[in-house]
Amino acid sequence: MEPSAGNEAALNARIGSTIRRLREKSGLSMRELARRAGISQPFLSQIERGASAPSMVTIYRLAEALGVLPGALLPAPGTASVQVVRASEGRKLPVSGEPNSAVGRALLMRPDTTLEVMEYLIEPGQYLEEWFSLRGDMAVYVVTGRLDVEVEGAGTWRLGPRDMISHNAELRHRWFLVGDEPAHVVLAVVHPSDGQ
C-alpha cells in the first residue's frame, strides 16, 4: 500500500528525529554533521524537523558521517523474524535531490542487518547519474533493460537482462540507462558489521 500524505509526513518526522538523536549522541552540531555529510545546514534542519525527506545519496552521506549503517536512519518495519515486502510496499527513495530523479524502493534497509536491498524501475529521461561511494560490497543485477555501470578508475560495463556486476562499494560508481527502454534493476549492498 502506498503511504498517504499523512503517513509520509509521520515517517519523515520519525527519520528526522532519528537523525537528530544520533547526531546529538555523537556530540555533533548540526553545522558539523552537515559539513561532514556534504549537505547544507538548512537542508539538514529541514530533514531533522521532518519537513524534507532525504534522498538515497543523502541517507548514505549522513550514515557515513554518523558512523552508522544507512538502515539505522530509517524506522524498523517490525520485529518479526520473517519479513515479506509486497510489490506495493517499501520506502521510496529518490536517487538524489535532482528534479525527475530515478526513485528506488527499499526492499530491505533496517538497523538490525548489514544487508541492504533496493529495487529500481528506471524510465528514460529520469536522472540517475549520481556518483555513489559507501563502505561495503555491492552487486547490481539487471532484470530487464540495459544499464552502463561506471566504476571510477576501473572502467564502464554494459549490463543487459540477467547480467550482474559486483565490486567494492567504496569505489565511486554511477549508472546510466542505455537506450529508450526502461530498466528494472536490483541493488544489494553488504555493509561492514562494525558500522552500527
Side-chain angles (χ1 to χ4, degrees):
M1 169 186 291
E2 188 66 26
S4 67
N7 289 344
E8 190 72 17
L11 183 58
N12 290 342
R14 287 174 57 200
I15 291 170
S17 174
T18 299
I19 292 169
R20 183 180 352 28
R21 180 180 50 75
L22 290 170
R23 174 181 61 77
E24 290 171 350
K25 182 179 175 185
S26 298
L28 296 173
S29 68
M30 194 178 289
R31 182 171 302 197
E32 179 59 18
L33 177 57
R35 184 192 67 74
R36 289 182 184 188
I39 62 175
S40 73
Q41 187 272 324
F43 181 50
L44 177 58
S45 176
Q46 290 176 346
I47 291 170
E48 286 193 359
R49 290 191 328 266
S52 290
S55 68
M56 178 62 81
V57 71
T58 302
I59 290 281
Y60 284 160
R61 288 176 180 170
L62 286 168
E64 180 72 23
L66 289 166
V68 299
L69 296 173
L73 304 183
L74 302 177
T79 58
S81 60
V82 175
Q83 179 185 357
V84 175
V85 180
R86 302 291 181 193
S88 63
E89 299 173 336
R91 170 84 172 147
K92 301 280 199 279
L93 291 170
V95 170
S96 74
E98 293 290 323
N100 200 31
S101 183
V103 177
R105 181 171 70 110
L107 301 175
L108 178 62
M109 185 180 267
R110 300 187 327 230
D112 61 343
T113 180
T114 59
L115 175 62
E116 174 184 315
V117 181
M118 295 288 298
E119 175 190 47
Y120 294 90
L121 299 172
I122 306 162
E123 297 290 336
Q126 287 184 321
Y127 179 78
L128 182 67
E129 300 86 23
E130 191 75 30
W131 283 103
F132 280 88
S133 175
L134 54 147
R135 293 178 56 219
D137 292 299
M138 64 180 287
V140 177
Y141 178 79
V142 177
V143 179
T144 60
R146 291 181 298 152
L147 193 72
D148 279 351
V149 176
E150 179 182 359
V151 180
E152 189 174 55
T156 301
W157 290 266
R158 178 152 299 165
L159 304 179
R162 300 178 58 204
D163 288 344
M164 186 198 82
I165 186 172
S166 63
H167 60 85
N168 182 314
E170 290 187 45
L171 299 172
R172 279 178 27 114
H173 53 278
R174 60 183 175 174
W175 303 349
F176 297 92
L177 184 64
V178 176
D180 295 330
E181 297 296 319
H184 182 190
V185 179
V186 176
L187 167 69
V189 179
V190 177
H191 298 280
S193 60
D194 65 346
Q196 294 188 347

